[in-house]
Amino acid sequence: MSLATRALQILKDRRDRILRGLINCLPFPFPRFRVWFPGIERARYYLVTANQKIGKSKFADKVFVYDPFFYFLENPQQGSVKVLYFTREMSKEDKMMEFYSHLLYRLSNKSIRISPVDLKSTRADKPVPQEVLDLLESEEYTRYINSFANTVTFIDDIGNPTGVNKYCRAWAAEHGHFTYTTIKKKDPDTGREEEIEVIDQYIPDDPEQIVIIIFDNASNIIEESNLGKMGSIEKLSKYFVTLRNQLGMSPVLIQHQAQAQEGTDNIKLKLMKPSASGLADCKSTIRDINTAFGLYSPFKFGEHSYEGYNIDMFRNNIRFMEIIDDRDNGAGGLVCPLYFDGAVGVFEELPRADDKEAIQGVYNFLNRLRGNTLMTVHKNKTKRFFTNLFKKNG
């Protein structure tokens, strides 16, 4: 099949999938913003960036790990997801504990809010309730935990670009096969043309599965010889391009903003928002990606209002996601206001700033949240609040 014929067939197949009730992308978790950015696709390369301690990893986990996992678990007819997660900041055990906190919050209809710190009984006067541990060992929770363990593979012993590439390609070889074609190539020494066999196409065993690669984060990369940090990040990014184009995988690179972005002058001029020019260690990654997400916390930089929202009321429970660059959907520059709860890895799209009634509902929820600890709000009240919030956002 020629390239032109194959491309046309892809268009036909994608249309046919929609007509059959299947999906071509994982629906983006923020309903209003979905109009501009439909969702996460196969064979796309994503970047998540922000200043330090803003929640980059938690945002990536929400969008590229938790939501895809639950979506396919609840809609198995739509396919499946596999996540290869290279965690350079946290251990595999800590990442799993973060999932436990998120799972407890989600399955309890948002009534059980317990952070990984409290889940680990870190405070001498606050051991984790036995009921919580019993719940994690219950049949209902075990089903989710076992499925998550089969869906997400955490890798904390590989951090150099070549190692990451080898791991991903080995995984692909075990779960699919390659087709080859013959091309003519001129030998640089003799000048004679030779026929060589090259990869033409990768055929996955499960064509309905989306494979997501996450590298967290670029600053913690293991440098390869003579390349330095910038060269090593560039090399990893080029590998991600190949894994995207050749194997249909969807890489996600988490990358800091440079510390200079938080300098006094930038704060005075309100230039702390994440940007392509502010990427730390290696700015060229922005040229390789399909979509770059930036995450901003006005509270961290002492702002009292932002985009019409009262930051004094939200404090650290608000984030603004901006599409910094987007070559596919034209969503670059658009901003999405998000409720944020770092304790349980939650991001929810907020009502519009001019929807006073809905915003007051959020304030009331925050007051209840801050007035309680483990069981933050009554189950029915919490469920009702978020249900109404989603209706307003939809």
Side-chain angles (χ1 to χ4, degrees):
M1 184 185 296
S2 70
L3 174 60
T5 302
R6 187 192 305 167
L8 183 58
Q9 188 59 47
I10 289 172
L11 297 179
K12 292 178 179 178
D13 291 344
R14 286 173 68 91
R15 179 180 185 276
D16 181 63
R17 289 174 59 80
I18 297 299
L19 296 178
R20 289 187 290 123
L22 299 176
I23 60 171
N24 289 321
C25 72
L26 283 163
F28 206 48
F30 313 125
R32 286 201 318 272
F33 203 81
R34 207 179 291 156
V35 173
W36 297 285
F37 186 84
I40 307 305
E41 295 187 66
R42 290 181 181 83
R44 293 295 181 269
Y45 178 7
Y46 301 99
L47 186 146
V48 178
T49 185
N51 296 104
Q52 294 187 56
K53 310 305 178 188
I54 298 297
K56 295 183 297 297
S57 299
K58 293 182 186 295
F59 178 83
D61 288 349
K62 156 74 176 177
V63 173
F64 297 102
V65 183
Y66 299 155
D67 278 18
F69 165 70
F70 284 107
Y71 180 84
F72 283 119
L73 194 66
E74 295 160 4
N75 301 277
Q77 75 281 3
Q78 294 288 4
S80 63
V81 63
K82 177 65 182 179
V83 181
L84 306 177
Y85 201 127
F86 295 87
T87 172
R88 301 294 306 150
E89 271 198 337
M90 300 173 64
S91 69
K92 295 184 286 189
E93 291 78 12
D94 283 339
K95 293 300 295 185
M96 185 60 76
M97 290 174 199
E98 285 195 337
F99 172 68
Y100 290 163
S101 290
H102 185 82
L103 184 68
L104 285 161
Y105 190 70
R106 183 163 183 145
L107 292 193
S108 69
N109 288 321
K110 304 177 175 70
S111 66
I112 300 179
R113 179 182 178 272
I114 180 167
S115 70
V117 170
D118 291 334
L119 201 57
K120 292 186 287 187
S121 303
T122 305
R123 299 177 177 88
D125 62 343
K126 197 177 181 182
V128 61
Q130 182 61 45
E131 294 82 0
V132 171
L133 297 180
D134 292 343
L135 201 55
L136 288 171
E137 291 185 319
S138 67
E139 183 176 349
E140 179 190 11
Y141 277 73
T142 298
R143 181 175 74 88
Y144 281 90
I145 291 169
N146 289 342
S147 181
F148 185 81
N150 290 328
T151 297
V152 183
T153 300
F154 291 112
I155 307 118
D156 61 3
D157 58 346
I158 300 174
N160 65 305
T162 300
V164 170
N165 184 55
K166 284 183 176 179
Y167 186 99
C168 295
R169 295 190 76 85
W171 188 93
E174 290 177 6
H175 296 85
H177 65 277
F178 296 95
T179 61
Y180 297 87
T181 188
T182 301
I183 64 169
K184 291 182 178 181
K185 186 176 180 180
K186 185 174 290 187
D187 188 298
D189 297 323
T190 65
R192 290 181 297 184
E193 282 193 343
E194 298 178 347
E195 288 190 345
I196 60 171
E197 197 173 51
V198 296
I199 292 173
D200 179 50
Q201 194 177 3
Y202 172 71
I203 311 294
D205 292 338
D206 183 359
E208 296 300 322
Q209 184 176 67
I210 179 171
V211 181
I212 297 174
I213 308 163
I214 299 179
F215 191 90
D216 184 17
N217 59 61
S219 293
N220 291 333
I221 198 168
I222 295 178
E223 297 175 15
E224 299 205 337
S225 3
N226 303 320
L227 288 181
K229 182 172 287 188
M230 184 175 75
S232 297
I233 295 171
E234 283 182 338
K235 186 172 185 179
L236 176 66
S237 189
K238 295 308 179 188
Y239 278 140
F240 278 173
V241 169
T242 303
L243 292 170
R244 174 194 66 191
N245 295 348
Q246 196 176 76
L247 304 185
M249 293 178 165
S250 297
V252 180
L253 179 64
I254 301 174
Q255 189 170 359
H256 286 308
Q257 287 284 289
Q259 287 187 333
Q261 291 295 100
E262 299 185 41
T264 305
D265 289 340
N266 275 13
I267 292 175
K268 287 180 179 177
L269 296 171
K270 296 186 176 183
L271 298 176
M272 299 82 64
K273 286 199 315 177
S275 63
S277 61
L279 289 169
D281 302 311
C282 179
K283 302 185 190 309
S284 63
T285 51
I286 199 71
R287 295 198 293 264
D288 296 332
I289 55 89
N290 291 88
T291 304
F293 300 96
L295 205 62
Y296 181 59
S297 169
F299 178 75
K300 178 176 180 178
F301 298 103
E303 298 197 49
H304 301 289
S305 66
Y306 189 81
E307 295 283 336
Y309 292 85
N310 186 334
I311 305 305
D312 291 333
M313 288 294 297
F314 279 98
R315 291 185 274 179
N316 199 35
N317 288 114
I318 192 169
R319 296 290 186 270
F320 292 87
M321 180 210 75
E322 180 175 351
I323 303 287
I324 294 175
D325 202 354
D326 181 29
R327 70 170 62 170
D328 298 323
N329 304 284
L334 296 174
V335 177
C336 182
L338 302 172
Y339 164 75
F340 170 62
D341 187 348
V344 287
V346 166
F347 291 82
E348 306 285 0
E349 189 175 47
L350 284 168
R352 293 181 177 87
D354 58 2
D355 189 341
K356 303 302 181 184
E357 182 181 353
I359 289 294
Q360 185 59 52
V362 181
Y363 293 161
N364 296 340
F365 170 76
L366 286 171
N367 288 333
R368 293 195 295 269
L369 179 74
R370 291 161 183 163
N372 295 275
T373 51
L374 173 61
M375 305 299 179
T376 56
V377 284
H378 188 271
K379 176 178 177 179
N380 292 332
K381 286 183 180 178
T382 311
K383 184 177 181 181
R384 185 165 58 250
F385 166 74
F386 275 99
T387 300
N388 292 336
L389 180 62
F390 291 154
K391 285 180 179 178
K392 285 180 176 292
N393 285 345

